[in-house]
Amino acid sequence: MPYSFNLPTTSALTFSAFLTSTFHPSLPFTATTQRAVLRDLLKKHKRLPPKSKPSHLTSVLSALEHYLPYVFAIDAGLSGTPVADEEINIVLERDIEVEWRTTLSSTIPGREPPRIKGKGLDYEFCYILHTVACVYTLLARVTLHALHASTTPTIEQRTGIITTATKYLLQSNSIHSYVMSRAGEVPTPFPTADISPSVQGALAAVALAEATLLAVLKDDPYPAVVAQDRNKNDKEWMVKAPEIPKVRAHLFARLCLAAAEHAGKAKAMLSSTKGIDNSLTTYVDDLRKTSRAKACRFFAIDAELGGKTGEGIAWLEGGKVELGYGGTKDEASKTKGLARLRKDWTERREDKKIERGGEWGSDAGRLEEARVIEMLEKKWNKVNDMINTQIVPPSGPLLANLPSGRQIHSPKQYVPPKLDEDTLARMRAPPDVDDAMMAGDDDASSDEGPEEGRGLPGGFPGGNNGSYY
């Protein structure tokens, strides 16, 4: 499942204090107003309980989409690029200074990540686009959560859910790639690793890997069968057994290997960057393991369809090795006793997270894939012991000869949004300075809301603690 990002918050920014426009005097003030709306929504999103955050993502995305064209227009004015065949004259009086709270950098446990001050429009520019890409990834998470609903979705609903999530992830990939190239052109590195070229390139590779796995999931019936079997509210098994159609196993295995290659690339880029949060690097490593295990499972299905049940079981054991659960008899014995109880407890905890809609899927689908492999291994071992009695070869040589991956998605280049001619024409009017300044000066130092009503330490909540009486 896609990574669960925390959206960053930011300090206030008044563009008119740093730049002016002779031809479009309202542009800096309108951009300030749009940014103030976005800042308030990011602060509100941060304070919401986990269950309320998914429904609030569309509001945050709408505010981002309204603010982005103005940032691109200011950037075009500074670089001398026309917008809608019209030149925007921007005069930079001094470097823009703004703070953004880090969300991917490692921090001291128990402390809130710090807000890092950066200079230049590029710092604001890259952080805004990074936030947009994170919102698209979170929307993909929200969409995919419907696959684990109490009511098992139909095949048509499942296809629609996965298609929508794939579009979100591909959009996230294109934006992260754009930020990577833009951050690479900055002469001075940014003071935070969140928007560095290596981290943005890693996030772009992760989004492409997740989108590639979704292309496989759309026609992969086995995870749906396992989810239906574990769904306590599902009663369809009383009517008919779940249908498992034949799949293009070899093609799906190559696609999973391509996803593993993208995840491995992301892992290497994150390893070269200092100060990245351990949860992100662990997720990327789990994504690579899950992708390779899926490839082993599809090679196993391909072998079993060809009558080679013993080789298929060996591929399943190889998939367990990739997941870290061991495939040989000595390694499999480690899953007995306390280790087995720990694994079962972890699975139940993940199921509870899915039911509550919280931070589920932090293992990149590793447990889910382990369940599928265990289901097939139990079934095929029973058939092989009773009927086929084929020798199960070692899985090591099979894993050593895995083929290369096959790409399915062609990432598209991100197209920046632009202001239309009518909006640019309105920017020529004189600005309403009072409203813009009020929007820009709103509480520049806190993400926790206004100071009013907090009271003195030890005072009664809601009381008048400013005087004796």
Side-chain angles (χ1 to χ4, degrees):
M1 290 300 136
Y3 185 71
S4 179
F5 289 99
N6 291 320
L7 296 185
T9 54
T10 178
S11 62
L13 173 62
T14 304
F15 282 102
S16 58
F18 301 95
L19 51 88
T20 57
S21 177
T22 305
F23 299 155
H24 302 82
S26 292
L27 179 59
F29 296 94
T30 308
T32 300
T33 303
Q34 295 291 339
R35 191 185 188 280
V37 174
L38 170 63
R39 178 173 177 267
D40 289 340
L41 285 174
L42 289 175
K43 289 166 57 179
K44 180 180 178 182
H45 185 84
K46 177 184 176 181
R47 296 192 296 264
L48 288 175
K51 286 187 177 181
S52 303
K53 287 185 177 181
S55 60
H56 191 252
L57 287 173
T58 53
S59 300
V60 176
L61 181 60
S62 177
L64 286 165
E65 291 177 342
H66 281 86
Y67 173 55
L68 268 178
Y70 294 96
V71 182
F72 276 101
I74 293 175
D75 179 67
L78 291 174
S79 60
T81 305
V83 177
D85 298 329
E86 185 175 345
E87 183 179 353
I88 301 178
N89 182 23
I90 298 290
V91 178
L92 185 64
E93 297 180 352
R94 59 191 180 97
D95 287 339
I96 294 175
E97 294 183 358
V98 65
E99 295 179 357
W100 280 89
R101 192 175 300 280
T102 61
T103 56
L104 302 180
S105 302
S106 58
T107 56
I108 299 176
R111 291 190 180 181
E112 191 176 29
R115 279 201 320 209
I116 306 299
K117 180 184 290 187
K119 291 186 177 182
L121 183 63
D122 288 324
Y123 187 71
E124 168 77 3
F125 192 82
C126 290
Y127 243 116
I128 286 294
L129 287 174
H130 167 68
T131 306
V132 176
C134 291
V135 170
Y136 276 118
T137 302
L138 293 175
L139 286 174
R141 277 180 57 87
V142 174
T143 305
L144 291 172
H145 189 261
L147 296 177
H148 303 277
S150 57
T151 304
T152 304
T154 63
I155 297 178
E156 292 78 11
Q157 292 173 341
R158 180 182 174 85
T159 302
I161 289 170
I162 295 176
T163 301
T164 303
T166 302
K167 292 179 180 178
Y168 287 142
L169 290 174
L170 291 178
Q171 184 71 2
S172 177
N173 165 263
S174 63
I175 296 175
H176 281 306
S177 299
Y178 184 88
V179 177
M180 178 187 66
S181 61
R182 182 65 182 258
E185 298 173 357
V186 178
T188 304
F190 292 129
T192 174
D194 290 25
I195 53 176
S196 63
S198 57
V199 172
Q200 290 298 312
L203 295 180
V206 168
L208 187 57
E210 292 165 343
T212 303
L213 289 181
L214 287 185
V216 176
L217 181 62
K218 185 163 56 175
D219 296 321
D220 184 8
Y222 295 95
V225 172
V226 173
Q228 182 177 354
D229 181 61
R230 298 181 67 88
N231 189 354
K232 299 178 181 179
N233 299 318
D234 186 82
K235 306 298 181 184
E236 190 175 351
W237 60 272
M238 297 181 178
V239 181
K240 63 176 181 179
E243 298 179 359
I244 304 180
K246 292 184 178 180
V247 297
R248 296 166 289 176
H250 197 272
L251 172 62
F252 288 169
R254 297 282 301 277
L255 294 179
C256 292
L257 289 174
E261 293 172 1
H262 292 309
K265 176 183 176 182
K267 181 182 178 181
M269 298 180 78
L270 290 177
S271 300
S272 63
T273 307
K274 296 181 179 180
I276 296 299
D277 188 34
N278 186 55
S279 62
L280 177 60
T281 56
T282 303
Y283 172 84
V284 173
D285 189 43
D286 285 342
L287 181 63
R288 184 188 63 84
K289 293 178 180 179
T290 303
S291 301
R292 289 179 62 87
K294 283 181 180 290
C296 292
R297 171 165 64 87
F298 282 115
F299 281 128
I301 294 172
D302 185 57
E304 197 272 338
L305 290 175
K308 302 177 181 179
T309 307
E311 182 180 339
I313 296 174
W315 275 115
L316 292 180
E317 291 179 351
K320 293 172 66 176
V321 171
E322 293 292 342
L323 291 174
Y325 295 121
T328 63
K329 292 182 179 179
D330 294 337
E331 292 171 331
S333 62
K334 296 179 182 180
T335 61
K336 296 180 180 179
L338 293 177
R340 182 68 184 181
L341 290 175
R342 179 183 177 185
K343 181 174 178 293
D344 292 341
W345 177 78
T346 305
E347 290 180 356
R348 289 195 297 269
R349 185 178 63 174
E350 186 68 17
D351 291 339
K352 288 293 183 181
K353 289 181 180 179
I354 294 175
E355 292 176 5
R356 297 169 184 171
E359 300 297 327
W360 59 281
S362 58
D363 63 344
R366 186 163 165 259
L367 279 176
E368 182 183 40
E369 185 59 30
R371 292 169 179 171
V372 177
I373 290 178
E374 288 177 356
M375 179 192 72
L376 292 176
E377 187 179 32
K378 181 179 179 181
K379 176 182 178 182
W380 293 355
N381 273 324
K382 185 176 181 180
V383 172
N384 191 53
D385 293 342
M386 296 178 62
I387 302 175
N388 295 328
T389 62
Q390 296 182 8
I391 297 176
V392 179
S395 59
L398 298 177
L399 296 177
N401 295 316
L402 285 173
S404 59
R406 178 175 177 179
Q407 306 297 331
I408 187 173
H409 295 300
S410 298
K412 297 181 180 179
Q413 189 175 3
Y414 176 67
V415 179
K418 297 181 180 180
L419 293 176
D420 53 28
E421 296 181 0
D422 295 337
T423 304
L424 275 177
R426 290 195 297 269
M427 294 299 101
R428 300 193 192 101
D432 189 348
V433 181
D434 294 336
D435 292 343
M437 292 300 293
M438 288 177 62
D441 292 339
D442 176 35
D443 188 23
S445 62
S446 175
D447 292 337
E448 302 301 332
E451 294 288 334
E452 181 182 358
R454 294 187 182 181
L456 298 175
F460 290 101
N464 184 8
N465 300 310
S467 61
Y468 185 79
Y469 295 104

